[in-house]
Amino acid sequence: VSDPAWSAVDEYLAGHLLSDDEALTAALANNKAQGLPPIDVSAVQGKLLHLLARMAGARRVLEVGTLGGFSTIWLARALPEGGKVVTLELEARNAKVARENVDRAAVGDKVEILVGPAKDSLAAMQPGDPFDFVFIDADKQSNAHYVQEAIRLGRPGTTIIVDNVVRDGGVIDAGSTNAQIVGTRRMFELLAKEGRLDATAIQMVGAKGWDGFVLALVL
Ligand SMILES: C[S@@+](CC[C@H](N)C(=O)[O-])C[C@H]1O[C@@H](n2cnc3c(N)ncnc32)[C@H](O)[C@@H]1O
C-alpha cells in the first residue's frame, strides 16, 4: 500500500527539519552500489530514533538488524563521548558495508558490529552493563524473542523500539500464514501480558509505505 503524497510529505518534512547530510547520503549511495535493499528506516524516522535516544540520555544502544548502518549512524550520533551502539547483523556482506558507512560518518569508534544470527549474539551477552535504548529491526518472526532479550539486557527505564509492526495492515490478519505477520502478532501477544514493560504502538505512512512501530519502556 502506498500513495505518492506520503513520500512527498516526507520530503517536505525532511526539507524543513533535516539538514543536508553528506555521510547519510553517502551511506545510502554505498548501500545501493553494493546491492543492499533499500529497507533502511526513512530519514525522518532515523531522526526520530536519534531524538528519542538523546531524550533517553542513552549511552549504550543495542540494535538488532544493521543492514548498511543507516539507522546505526543516527543512533551513534545521539551518544555522548564514550557511548556505544552494539549492532547485530546476520550477513557479513551487509556488516562490511555498514562498517564502511559508519567509519565514513566518523562514528566508527562508537559502533560495534556483531556478525551472525542475532539470537546467538544476544545469547552470548551477559547483563551487567545494561543497554539504555534498544532498536529492533531484523527478522520479524523473532521479534518476541528479541523483546525478551532486550528486557534481560536492559534495566528499568530502558527504551525499546520495534520497527515494522503494522505491515500494510497485515498485523490484524489473524489467519495470516506470513511468518513476519505471525511473528509480529506473537510479539503483540507478549507485550499484552508482559508485566515488565509498558508499551504503545503508532501506525504511520510515509516514504516507506504504511507501517508503524512499538515504543516500550522497561519497568
Ligand atoms: C530492515 S533491515 C535493517 C535496517 C536498518 N536498521 C536501517 O534502518 O538502516 C534488517 C536487517 O536484519 C538483518 N537480519 C535478518 N535476520 C537476521 C538475524 N536472524 N540476525 C541478525 N540480523 C538479521 C538483515 O540481514 C537486514 O540487514
Side-chain angles (χ1 to χ4, degrees):
V1 181
S2 70
D3 183 320
W6 300 348
S7 290
V9 171
D10 259 4
E11 276 172 34
Y12 173 85
L13 300 175
H16 284 76
L17 304 175
L18 277 60
S19 32
D20 285 342
D21 195 312
E22 192 278 326
L24 288 169
T25 304
L28 293 180
N30 192 28
N31 289 357
K32 188 172 181 185
Q34 301 209 42
L36 272 55
I39 52 173
D40 355 60
V41 294
S42 67
V44 288
Q45 195 185 351
K47 180 92 181 264
L48 175 72
L49 292 171
H50 171 84
L51 290 172
L52 288 172
R54 278 172 59 189
M55 288 173 191
R59 295 183 59 83
R60 280 176 53 76
V61 173
L62 173 65
E63 179 179 60
V64 185
T66 318
L67 190 67
F70 184 77
S71 53
T72 318
I73 293 170
W74 276 112
L75 289 165
R77 285 175 173 177
L79 305 185
E81 197 62 35
K84 184 74 84 183
V85 182
V86 179
T87 183
L88 315 183
E89 173 53 49
L90 179 65
E91 306 285 348
R93 184 179 75 119
N94 295 353
K96 174 187 155 292
V97 177
R99 174 49 64 194
E100 293 168 6
N101 290 339
V102 297
D103 286 349
R104 190 189 293 106
V107 291
D109 59 331
K110 290 183 170 162
V111 176
E112 183 180 356
I113 306 175
L114 302 181
V115 180
K119 280 184 181 170
D120 294 351
S121 300
L122 291 164
M125 292 182 196
Q126 299 308 321
D129 197 0
F131 291 105
D132 309 302
F133 191 98
V134 182
F135 178 50
I136 298 172
D137 186 23
D139 52 321
K140 313 305 174 184
Q141 41 276 56
S142 304
N143 272 350
H145 179 80
Y146 295 150
V147 168
Q148 284 173 311
E149 286 290 67
I151 298 170
R152 181 178 72 85
L153 297 167
R155 55 162 172 80
T158 292
T159 303
I160 302 173
I161 308 276
V162 188
D163 202 17
N164 308 122
V165 300
V166 173
R167 317 202 64 81
D168 286 333
V171 68
I172 61 170
D173 181 359
S176 176
T177 53
N178 177 305
Q180 300 193 329
I181 289 174
V182 172
T184 301
R185 290 176 61 83
R186 194 180 309 125
M187 178 206 62
F188 276 112
E189 283 154 26
L190 169 80
L191 294 178
K193 64 175 194 232
E194 176 54 78
R196 296 172 295 170
L197 285 179
D198 204 1
T200 190
I202 297 292
Q203 62 176 329
M204 58 191 183
V205 296
K208 301 288 176 168
W210 176 23
D211 217 324
F213 63 91
V214 160
L215 170 65
L217 181 69
V218 178
L219 301 176

